[in-house]
Amino acid sequence: MACGDDSAQTRRQLGELHLHLAAALESTGGLLEAVKWLQDAVRLDARNANAWLRLGRIRLRMGEFDESVRCLRQSLAIDPRQAEACFHLGSALSDLKRHDAAIAVYREALALKPDFAEAHCNLGALFNDVHRHDAAIASCRAALALRPEFPEAHNNLAVALHQLRRDEEAIASCEQALAIAPNFAEAHNNLGAALIAMNRHEQAIASLRRALAIMPDHAWAHYNLGAALYALGDHSGALDSYASAVAHQPDSAEARWVLAMCQTPRMFDAEGGSGSARAAYSGSLTELNAWLVGHRMQGAEIAVGAATPFHLAYQEQPNRELLSRYGDLCARLMRHWWDKEGLSRRVRGDSGTVRVGIVSAHVKDHSVWNAIVKGWIRHLDRGRFDLSVFHLAAEQDHETEFAMSQSDYVALAGKGLRECAANILDRQPDILIYPEIGMDPMTTRLASLRIAPVQAASWGHPETSGLPTIDYYLSAEDMEPPQAQENYRERLVLLPHLGCCYHPFTVAPGTQDLARLGVDTARPLLLCAGAPFKYVPEHDGVLVAIARELGRCQFIFFIDDAAAGLSARLQRRLAGSFARAGLEFNDYVVFIAVQQRPLFYDLMRRASVFLDTIGFSGFNTAMQAVECALPVVTREGRFLRGRLASGILRRLQLTELIAATEQEYVALAVKLVQDDAYRRELRVRIEASRHVLFDDLAPIRALEAFLIDAYRRHRDRAEAASHSA
């Protein structure tokens, strides 16, 4: 017996010696040798919890996560009160995407050691991974309370704040991390991401370049740099950065997705670029579709919506085929995710009312809300419809409060995909309406799923969604061309008149010193209020021709902070067009900051004419011009997106203001400026007839009839299918 005890003691002593040798090797980077000594240590003494702990920790460092979990669980089976073993086990489980288990063991570590700052910090990072950002903030702040000079905790806090769109706070947290650790590449990257969200793109680029100087292979810094450059209109630079992101992380579906989607520039610097861009996009879409198969589909749902072919709509060409291919890919990936998550719709009985859900990231003072959604919220018959509004964005204002008061409002900002889908499924909607697919990542992901039996899109983004999961497209009689169904994958529903119930702002105009803005009120003023990417190079000559005909006049463009870089590119491009025509650009054109609504209305009342953008028209701006009795000139386009203003003018019976060609557009603008009597007559006619545009209930009543009919047809089909089964 004594001899056996001596033998066991000797084995334990030898095990400890092996353990010390392994520790020395680990400290000098000799991980493989350290593993061998530790394996010997546990063979000599299988009850050595510390040896199992060290072996699990090294396996974790080597990326052998399953083996790390096995070793750490063995250590905890011997000694359950090891906070450090729980901590490393949490890290290994997190790397294996076993998030719930990882959260549980991090909490065990903190129960054993409440002042474990690293565990609080890592738990915060894990909460960020599962989109529990409020919990992440609490964990990171707990870490910082214990250790204020903890750069990783400041960085993880910044990530959570950024995801909740609290970007000023996120920037401050990144700056605190960098004050402690100036060479912390991840903090430079996250600072860049937050700056992009604040439209501070130049600063973002500087921060991201610092991240890459420290860590050249940082794939997400390349990715974010691509986003900043793309926002500024530097298309070739953006593509180079996205390609670098793919090169450094070739298994990233998100990086590959964005590289494919961004083949189309935000705006073109010269004529004739759309053909090659469309071909590049088509080829990239084919390659991406072929790559996203098998195991690569795992987790690829995060890529859907990360970028969209949004800017295809700003080319006046048919997009149904390209967008349908894109939509099939979105739906395929999202269906894979849906099946993996085990989600399903519950069948509900007939309650006598139709449950309608509106899913939007713009339940606030925004063009989509003002033009389309607000009328639905105000006027849908609550006796026949239960209305839920699912708001995907964090921004709230008085319009959000109105939506809350008029519907079953569900705030989904900052929540993950599963939680968003589950919240919508819980309401068991019969019909879901997506007013603006393509303008928000989560909207795109949700619209690519079959969450409701009947699903519809509308013209917040006036283009087919291309998605096989969207059954109907809600549009307007006065704004669609003949044979419009050919432009849509969805079944087209033409609601009467403008297709919406628009409520006027009735703004009391402010007063301002326009000279301070560079506006010359002694000249005829021609307002050009479109976003910069709506102005394509092919139509620059229209402005030049108007200037040449009028001589003394001033075009007023607007600089939005969200697109200031694009405005600068547009300004340079137009300056070149004017110079080539022998005209001094600054004598004719001024770019001013976007004005608050009262000041914008003041400017419209002083202007001579509103020049609608050609190819992709403006709806809200044209309606506001009508409110100010300002004549609108438009060239009617081939598709809905080019016919928004012409629909308004047609409804006003002012078809004489609708040009069929660019030449007619020029002649009409010149006539309106030069013929004071005609312009005054038009103002009177606009004032007399504009009431027909506002608070029009005919589209609402037609929408209600459509919703009832669509619901009944689905119910009848479902009943027939159940009987046949």
Side-chain angles (χ1 to χ4, degrees):
M1 188 75 173
C3 197
D5 287 344
D6 288 345
S7 175
Q9 183 177 0
T10 299
R11 292 172 65 84
R12 283 195 296 272
Q13 289 173 343
L14 283 171
E16 285 297 321
L17 178 60
H18 282 66
L19 187 61
H20 291 309
L21 287 169
L25 288 164
E26 182 185 0
S27 67
T28 59
L31 300 185
L32 287 174
E33 286 298 315
V35 165
K36 292 177 182 177
W37 285 103
L38 288 168
Q39 288 172 331
D40 285 342
V42 296
R43 275 195 291 269
L44 288 164
D45 182 7
R47 300 290 299 168
N48 190 328
N50 195 22
W52 285 111
L53 167 60
R54 286 179 177 273
L55 189 55
R57 187 176 67 193
I58 293 176
R59 294 291 195 190
L60 177 61
R61 288 181 62 186
M62 295 171 66
E64 298 175 2
F65 305 125
D66 285 312
E67 186 62 20
S68 175
V69 169
R70 186 186 72 82
C71 294
L72 292 165
R73 289 202 186 283
Q74 184 68 33
S75 180
L76 286 164
I78 299 164
D79 182 1
R81 298 196 57 79
Q82 297 179 89
E84 186 182 354
C86 290
F87 173 78
H88 292 301
L89 178 57
S91 298
L93 291 166
S94 178
D95 284 320
L96 288 168
K97 309 301 181 188
R98 294 164 60 182
H99 296 126
D100 290 342
I103 289 169
V105 293
Y106 275 131
R107 284 177 166 159
E108 287 179 35
L110 289 166
L112 293 166
K113 186 180 177 183
D115 61 348
F116 200 162
E118 290 84 354
H120 284 294
C121 178
N122 281 19
L123 185 57
L126 184 55
F127 281 136
N128 277 329
D129 288 342
V130 297
H131 303 284
R132 294 173 59 183
H133 302 300
D134 288 325
I137 289 171
S139 290
C140 293
R141 287 187 170 151
L144 290 167
L146 293 164
R147 192 196 301 173
E149 301 291 299
F150 194 169
E152 289 80 9
H154 284 295
N155 181 64
N156 291 340
L157 176 59
V159 171
L161 293 166
H162 170 59
Q163 291 299 322
L164 292 173
R165 298 299 184 264
R166 293 163 59 179
D167 286 296
E168 289 286 7
E169 295 173 78
I171 289 168
S173 289
C174 286
E175 289 173 341
Q176 285 181 280
L178 291 166
I180 302 162
N183 291 325
F184 191 178
E186 189 60 36
H188 282 294
N189 172 58
N190 290 326
L191 176 58
L195 289 166
I196 289 170
M198 297 292 292
N199 298 310
R200 292 159 60 179
H201 298 112
E202 297 286 359
Q203 291 172 272
I205 289 169
S207 184
L208 293 163
R209 293 201 190 282
R210 282 194 288 272
L212 291 168
I214 299 163
M215 189 183 293
D217 61 349
H218 195 309
W220 294 109
H222 285 290
Y223 178 96
N224 286 325
L225 180 58
L229 293 169
Y230 190 75
L232 291 174
D234 183 354
H235 188 236
S236 62
L239 291 183
D240 286 344
S241 290
Y242 286 135
S244 294
V246 171
H248 290 297
Q249 195 160 340
D251 59 343
S252 169
E254 189 173 354
R256 288 179 179 272
W257 183 282
V258 174
L259 178 60
M261 297 302 140
C262 293
Q263 293 297 317
T264 300
R266 291 195 76 188
M267 64 184 295
F268 293 96
D269 292 326
E271 293 185 35
S274 64
S276 59
R278 293 171 71 85
Y281 171 68
S282 178
S284 292
L285 190 60
T286 298
E287 292 175 10
L288 180 64
N289 190 49
W291 186 84
L292 278 166
V293 293
H295 72 278
R296 291 170 178 157
M297 294 176 68
Q298 193 69 22
E301 68 278 352
I302 192 65
V304 176
T308 70
F310 179 81
H311 291 281
L312 281 178
Y314 295 90
Q315 303 163 21
E316 200 172 10
Q317 299 186 50
N319 291 323
R320 175 176 172 171
E321 186 271 333
L322 278 176
L323 291 176
S324 294
R325 288 168 53 199
Y326 156 78
D328 285 339
L329 178 57
C330 292
R332 177 165 68 84
L333 295 182
M334 295 312 302
R335 179 70 199 194
H336 178 269
W337 173 85
W338 176 276
D339 292 342
K340 179 190 66 176
E341 294 292 319
L343 295 172
S344 61
R345 299 196 310 270
R346 288 175 291 166
V347 177
R348 74 177 190 91
D350 188 352
S351 64
T353 58
V354 179
R355 293 185 181 179
V356 177
I358 298 170
V359 184
S360 175
H362 299 99
V363 185
K364 58 181 179 179
D365 187 356
H366 183 274
S367 58
V368 173
W369 167 265
N370 294 327
I372 303 171
V373 182
K374 186 175 183 178
W376 298 343
I377 302 294
R378 293 178 72 212
H379 296 295
L380 277 175
D381 182 355
R382 298 305 192 275
R384 293 190 291 168
F385 303 96
D386 290 332
L387 186 61
S388 296
V389 174
F390 302 97
H391 191 192
L392 301 175
E395 297 85 355
Q396 297 186 355
D397 59 16
H398 63 285
E399 298 291 357
T400 317
E401 293 172 1
F402 175 74
M404 291 179 183
S405 71
Q406 298 295 311
S407 67
D408 182 6
Y409 176 91
V410 183
L412 297 178
K415 299 187 185 303
L417 175 60
R418 183 181 176 87
E419 193 171 0
C420 287
N423 268 273
I424 300 173
L425 284 168
D426 283 347
R427 299 306 195 278
Q428 295 183 273
D430 300 305
I431 301 173
L432 279 180
I433 306 177
Y434 294 87
E436 77 294 336
I437 296 173
M439 295 172 63
D440 169 77
M442 187 60 75
T443 303
T444 302
R445 291 174 196 134
L446 294 169
S448 301
L449 295 167
R450 174 59 71 177
I451 297 178
V454 179
Q455 302 191 145
S458 193
W459 51 276
H461 182 48
E463 175 65 281
T464 180
S465 71
L467 293 168
T469 51
I470 301 298
D471 307 299
Y472 300 97
Y473 195 96
L474 306 176
S475 189
E477 285 182 346
D478 287 345
M479 297 193 298
E480 288 285 1
Q483 290 80 50
Q485 180 62 65
E486 297 173 3
N487 302 325
Y488 295 92
R489 182 171 191 171
E490 308 86 351
R491 181 177 175 183
L492 186 61
V493 178
L494 295 178
L495 300 177
H497 310 149
L498 299 182
C500 62
C501 185
Y502 181 94
H503 187 68
F505 286 105
T506 58
V507 174
T511 56
Q512 59 187 321
D513 181 3
L514 292 178
R516 183 178 56 82
L517 299 175
V519 176
D520 184 355
T521 54
R523 299 184 182 199
L525 304 179
L526 299 91
L527 294 191
C528 304
F533 42 78
K534 285 189 175 185
Y535 295 93
V536 299
E538 284 77 4
H539 300 141
D540 290 355
V542 168
L543 300 176
V544 173
I546 293 171
R548 184 183 288 114
E549 288 285 330
L550 289 177
R552 195 164 174 271
C553 67
Q554 191 172 54
F555 301 93
I556 302 176
F557 288 81
F558 297 86
I559 304 171
D560 187 342
D561 285 345
L566 296 182
S567 293
R569 296 184 81 93
L570 175 61
Q571 195 166 0
R572 289 193 297 271
R573 195 186 77 208
L574 289 175
S577 296
F578 273 72
R580 285 189 292 275
L583 299 176
E584 178 55 48
F585 175 74
N586 292 326
D587 289 346
Y588 293 93
V589 181
V590 63
F591 278 69
I592 68 174
V594 168
Q595 302 295 294
Q596 295 294 322
R597 196 168 284 136
L599 301 180
F600 182 54
Y601 273 50
D602 173 54
L603 188 52
M604 285 196 290
R605 283 184 164 89
R606 298 202 213 182
S608 298
V609 64
F610 183 94
L611 297 180
D612 186 35
T613 39
I614 299 174
F616 197 120
S617 181
F619 181 83
N620 284 276
T621 47
M623 290 291 272
Q624 291 166 20
V626 168
E627 285 188 60
C628 297
L630 176 62
V632 176
V633 175
T634 189
R635 194 274 275 155
E636 192 160 59
R638 298 169 57 193
F639 309 101
L640 166 66
R641 58 191 184 272
R643 301 168 67 95
L644 305 178
S646 64
I648 294 168
L649 295 171
R650 187 170 285 108
R651 180 79 179 132
L652 290 172
Q653 299 184 0
L654 288 172
T655 54
E656 66 207 80
L657 296 180
I658 304 172
T661 66
E662 282 79 1
Q663 292 75 21
E664 288 183 16
Y665 185 103
V666 172
L668 186 52
V670 170
K671 179 181 179 181
L672 281 167
V673 171
Q674 292 181 335
D675 191 336
D676 292 345
Y678 180 52
R679 192 170 65 253
R680 286 195 297 271
E681 175 202 336
L682 282 172
R683 287 185 180 274
V684 171
R685 289 168 61 188
I686 291 170
E687 288 176 340
S689 61
R690 64 189 173 193
H691 65 277
V692 302
L693 303 178
F694 305 136
D695 297 319
D696 182 4
L697 291 178
I700 297 294
R701 302 287 87 89
L703 174 62
E704 291 172 340
F706 158 74
L707 294 172
I708 294 290
D709 182 61
Y711 167 68
R712 286 176 177 166
R713 279 190 280 115
H714 166 74
R715 186 187 60 192
D716 292 346
R717 286 194 301 269
E719 288 178 356
S722 66
H723 291 322
S724 64

